[in-house]
Amino acid sequence: MSRDLCRLALTVLHPGFEGTSVPDWLRRALGEGLGGVVLFARNAIDAQLVRRLRAENPAAVVAIDEEGGTVTRLEVLSGSSFPGNRALGVADDVDLTERVGRQIGRMLAELDITLNYAPSADVNANPANPVIGVRSFGPAPDLVARHTVAYVNGVQRAGVAACAKHFPGHGDTVTDSHLALPTVHASREVLADRDLPPFQAAIGAGVRSIMTGHVLAPALDPAMPATLSRTVLTELLRGELGFDGMVVTDAIEMRAVAAMFAPGEIAVRALAAGADAVCVGLGTEESLHEIRDAVVAAVRDGVLPEERLAEAAARVLALSSWYDAQAPLREQARADVDPGVGLEAARAALTTTGAAVLERGPLVVEVNTRHSQAVDPATPTGITAALTRRLPNTAMLRLEPDGELPPFDERPVVLVVHDAARHAWVRDVVAKAVAARPDVIVVDTGIPGPPIGAAHIATHGISRVSAQAAAEWLTR
């Protein structure tokens, strides 16, 4: 195997890994030219871990999903210090969004992380969407576009690369691409008017990276999901929209594409389509070698032009070089501490109906809808903890889909739900609770349904600060 060709193939592969220390196979691969690494909450991320990665390959692109709100890798146990995109869109203050982006960028700069797989530039046009939802700034393209730009500016002016996702838009789907292949049933005109403007705005703002969506948009390509489509990635994204930064795939073990092809073939097809970096969320030594060898074989067999692979590797290295050049911005950002911005944004996003003040500890019933596969299962809603800090005798129970409401005593009752508008069983539970206790308080941490109960609070996302803002309002 040609050493140069092998190095090119490794440069475009960006795996994750299990455990809290850098495994030997990953250390060796980095030394051989592996182009990047993706970090997850399971890695117990700190500056020392990143230093160990960079010791093997200083040019490696170290990436992370740190959207804020529901999707956090650094604050998964406590909940994020920043509300997510939907809350920022509801507040609709682009200066506030840019300040939040800057502080997220600052947090990553402290750890020497190159690339944030954020923001979601998806327009959440379908209220039934199971995976985007509150990760989107909202349902309107102009709203999403201006906040995408603000977030990108915030992160990148802190010296960290941002990544607009999931191109060409994952907002109008009813399927989670972690589980199956979603289809966007929209005309090319609708896609152009609704889904593409936030990506065009991000490109105009100089976003350094764009992530592909594992979505089928038949109006663009009736056969292949965007990640594997030359029509979408090369003709549309590169040609029509003029993006020249690094295109990275969403994780290739997601069932939307993993059900179609083996990992090596997915990587080859994505690279041939126009992707530059292949994200392998669940990387192992065996899978890395399998994918690397498939890429090398594809070049040797004439399936993947070597020039295309070299171009992809060059874009990965260009992102790394851009990051190196931003060291002065990261130094400035580290000194620019804005500790209250997350709570400020969460308070601005709070939507309340009715009136209720808690003067003693309530029974909090967490009506436990399973969040999407993008959300770490350990992420807390935070409402119970926030209320307990203010009212120490707060009690909590979780209600699963087949569970029954407990008999209520004289304590106040707070129901915490997520995306009530999407879940009939959740709405049934809420209706039963309100019938039994008309004074019940409902807190919806997702995209809310119509207000119900004596008081209804919509936080528009899950984060520590969103929970704090709700608890403040309830105990004011």
Side-chain angles (χ1 to χ4, degrees):
M1 184 183 297
S2 155
R3 183 173 295 179
D4 289 347
L5 189 53
C6 184
R7 192 173 188 90
L8 283 179
L10 280 172
T11 301
V12 302
L13 302 184
H14 296 187
F17 62 96
E18 294 287 352
T20 57
S21 59
V22 182
D24 289 342
W25 67 265
L26 184 58
R27 207 186 303 272
R28 285 193 297 272
L30 284 163
E32 293 164 3
L34 183 69
V37 178
V38 188
L39 300 177
F40 292 89
R42 63 178 183 253
N43 302 131
I45 304 153
D46 59 15
Q48 185 178 37
L49 179 74
V50 178
R51 276 197 299 274
R52 285 178 178 149
L53 294 169
R54 294 206 179 280
E56 305 299 332
N57 179 4
V61 172
V62 181
I64 193 171
D65 275 294
E66 192 62 36
E67 297 177 16
T70 310
V71 178
T72 174
R73 307 305 187 210
L74 296 176
E75 298 185 291
V76 70
L77 297 179
S78 63
S80 179
S81 302
F82 310 98
N85 285 3
R86 182 68 171 219
L88 294 170
V90 169
D92 197 13
D93 178 339
V94 290
D95 292 335
L96 195 56
T97 296
E98 182 167 347
R99 285 168 60 202
V100 166
R102 181 170 178 78
Q103 290 306 303
I104 290 174
R106 177 183 172 278
M107 189 162 63
L108 303 186
E110 291 275 8
L111 295 169
D112 199 15
I113 290 172
T114 317
L115 172 64
N116 190 10
Y117 287 155
S120 164
D122 306 296
V123 177
N124 198 61
N126 194 326
N129 195 313
V131 66
I132 302 301
V134 293
R135 298 168 65 199
S136 163
F137 290 111
D142 56 339
L143 174 80
V144 175
R146 64 177 173 267
H147 286 278
T148 294
V149 167
Y151 190 108
V152 167
N153 285 341
V155 172
Q156 294 194 164
R157 288 170 183 171
V160 173
C163 178
K165 62 186 183 186
H166 307 81
F167 188 82
H170 202 325
D172 186 13
T173 63
V174 293
T175 303
D176 183 343
S177 51
H178 294 84
L179 306 175
L181 177 62
T183 300
V184 179
H185 299 284
S187 68
R188 193 179 178 98
E189 292 70 31
V190 168
L191 293 172
D193 291 344
R194 182 193 64 192
D195 296 77
L196 297 184
F199 293 99
Q200 291 171 291
I203 292 166
V207 72
R208 306 308 303 183
S209 180
I210 288 179
M211 178 179 281
T212 68
H214 297 328
V215 296
L216 185 69
L220 301 176
D221 186 332
M224 284 292 151
T227 298
L228 309 178
S229 171
R230 181 175 173 80
T231 305
V232 174
L233 300 188
T234 297
E235 294 177 17
L236 177 59
L237 181 55
R238 297 287 189 206
E240 291 184 41
L241 302 188
F243 181 62
D244 195 40
M246 189 186 84
V247 174
V248 60
T249 71
D250 209 344
I252 64 169
E253 70 274 10
M254 292 165 64
R255 295 297 299 164
V257 289
M260 299 176 73
F261 303 109
E265 186 167 357
I266 294 170
V268 169
R269 285 174 175 266
L271 291 163
D276 304 306
V278 178
C279 172
V280 188
L282 297 171
T284 63
E285 184 170 22
E286 293 72 26
S287 69
L288 183 68
H289 289 169
E290 175 192 336
I291 298 168
R292 176 201 64 191
D293 293 349
V295 171
V296 169
V299 173
R300 290 200 163 144
D301 294 344
V303 174
L304 176 65
E306 186 168 355
E307 306 81 58
R308 169 78 274 270
L309 180 60
E311 176 187 59
R315 285 206 182 98
V316 173
L317 295 173
L319 180 69
S320 175
S321 296
W322 176 88
Y323 178 79
D324 285 347
Q326 308 313 305
L329 285 184
R330 289 194 294 280
E331 201 58 43
Q332 290 171 20
R334 287 187 192 105
D336 182 18
V337 184
D338 190 0
V341 68
L343 183 56
E344 181 183 339
R347 287 169 176 156
L350 214 61
T351 306
T352 60
T353 307
V357 177
L358 293 173
E359 296 176 344
R360 59 190 177 125
L363 171 64
V364 179
V365 182
E366 297 218 359
V367 185
N368 192 25
T369 59
R370 172 70 173 94
H371 305 306
S372 83
Q373 300 286 318
V375 182
D376 191 288
T379 307
T381 67
I383 304 293
T384 303
L387 283 172
T388 302
R389 280 192 290 272
R390 303 174 84 84
L391 300 168
N393 54 342
T394 296
M396 185 269 279
L397 69 84
R398 279 203 173 86
L399 194 69
E400 300 295 340
D402 54 355
E404 291 290 329
L405 283 166
F408 295 133
D409 52 27
E410 73 287 351
R411 289 176 297 180
V413 177
V414 177
L415 291 189
V416 180
V417 302
H418 187 77
D419 283 357
R422 275 202 314 117
H423 298 282
W425 74 269
V426 174
R427 295 194 299 276
D428 289 345
V429 167
V430 173
K432 285 176 186 171
V434 172
R437 283 286 296 270
D439 63 341
V440 74
I441 297 163
V442 178
V443 181
D444 197 323
T445 61
I447 294 176
I452 187 171
H456 185 278
I457 304 170
T459 64
H460 305 286
I462 292 173
S463 69
R464 181 173 50 78
V465 287
S466 298
Q468 184 178 337
E472 285 174 355
W473 189 84
L474 284 170
T475 57
R476 62 198 185 283

